[in-house]
Amino acid sequence: MASKRESILDYLVSSVNTALTAGGIAASVRRTRSTPIGKNEQLAVSLYANQESVQQRVGGKADRVLTVQFNVFTRGDEPDALADATVAILVSTLMSDIRLGGLANSVNETGTSWDFDSEISEDYGVASVTFEISYITSASDLSA
Amino acid sequence: MSLSSDLAYLFSDFGVSATFEAETALVLLDTPDSVGNLQGLEIISADAVITFPSSAFLALDEGDSITVSGKSYKCRAVKAVDDGLLSIAYLKAA
């Protein structure tokens, strides 16, 4: 049985994909992307699980805080401006559903950073949006 | 024969036609892909660079439109190389 963490990550991919489609954004979220961004890709969204902290509770429960990061890659002039609509959808989707369909206790947006580069023929950038997701599991069973 | 007139031979075999405003000249076009890295992710880009006699396109500068081998590009930057008789222009597809 999948862990709650995995269920949360799957839920994020599904809900953000639905929101991107509804928002007219031609991209879908890829988990933990390791393949290169192709030269014809203008926009790509990736989700990474960065880390998780755990605090043991009495009674056999564990409070967990999962930090996830969405990377929004855009290619073109002013890549940060090109990423703006996608970043807005990410934040809106997660912060309007902070229980993540009952999988989590809360979601907090913790920040956005931008990284740019310029190759000979074009500009591109990545906007990284991070969230902390609090949830509870059994101390001995990640799926419960 | 002067050094500058010898330059024409550099472009006669492999040169392609380029037009900027009213000027047309033979240029060397290179279109390699480059690989960058952001946030640990490799990013592939299609580059376009022309080498041309500096005297051919004296006014070519950032933001200008140029046609190379029938394809339209925007100029991102121009720099003279070595003794200045040749220049390189970095292009992106328009």
Side-chain angles (χ1 to χ4, degrees):
Chain A
M1 186 173 182
S3 67
K4 276 194 175 179
R5 180 191 310 124
E6 188 62 23
S7 297
I8 287 169
L9 293 169
D10 282 348
Y11 184 89
L12 292 176
V13 171
S14 175
S15 60
V16 169
N17 278 340
T18 300
L20 290 174
T21 300
I25 303 290
S28 58
V29 179
R30 285 180 59 168
R31 284 271 306 275
T32 319
R33 180 169 183 159
S34 58
T35 54
I37 302 278
K39 58 187 176 184
N40 294 319
E41 286 186 86
Q42 304 299 310
L43 169 66
V45 184
S46 309
L47 169 63
Y48 300 87
N50 277 358
Q51 67 170 15
E52 185 173 270
S53 62
V54 183
Q55 188 161 5
Q56 301 294 336
R57 274 200 211 175
V58 292
K61 294 289 186 181
D63 291 325
R64 299 178 182 274
V65 179
L66 172 65
T67 302
V68 300
Q69 177 176 317
F70 284 92
N71 283 352
V72 180
F73 166 85
T74 49
R75 189 191 303 269
D77 296 338
E78 300 179 355
D80 52 336
L82 294 172
D84 186 66
T86 304
V87 170
I89 287 174
L90 287 173
V91 172
S92 171
T93 302
L94 271 70
M95 298 312 294
S96 63
D97 181 19
I98 59 171
R99 304 266 308 176
L100 301 182
L103 292 167
N105 288 354
S106 66
V107 175
N108 291 310
E109 181 191 1
T110 56
T112 302
S113 62
W114 293 265
D115 198 2
F116 302 99
D117 202 356
S118 177
E119 287 299 320
I120 289 172
S121 297
E122 56 194 4
D123 297 324
Y124 52 74
V126 171
S128 300
V129 192
T130 54
F131 299 88
E132 289 182 345
I133 299 167
S134 301
Y135 69 105
I136 299 170
T137 66
S138 160
S140 60
D141 184 353
L142 286 176
S143 66
Chain B
M1 183 177 287
S2 69
L3 182 61
S4 58
S5 62
D6 283 344
L7 287 177
Y9 291 105
L10 292 176
F11 300 90
S12 59
D13 285 339
F14 301 108
V16 296
S17 179
T19 301
F20 167 60
E21 296 180 336
E23 304 294 330
T24 296
L26 290 177
V27 305
L28 300 179
L29 172 65
D30 293 305
T31 56
D33 288 344
S34 63
V35 180
N37 192 301
L38 278 184
Q39 301 280 341
L41 196 59
E42 286 191 335
I43 297 153
I44 300 172
S45 300
D47 290 337
V49 182
I50 57 169
T51 303
F52 59 95
S54 300
S55 59
F57 302 134
L58 288 171
L60 183 64
D61 204 351
E62 179 186 354
D64 288 337
S65 298
I66 185 170
T67 301
V68 182
S69 196
K71 188 173 177 181
S72 297
Y73 294 90
K74 284 277 188 187
C75 179
R76 282 173 62 87
V78 179
K79 71 172 186 179
V81 294
D82 297 330
D83 57 6
L85 293 176
L86 294 177
S87 289
I88 289 173
Y90 302 101
L91 310 176
K92 71 172 181 177

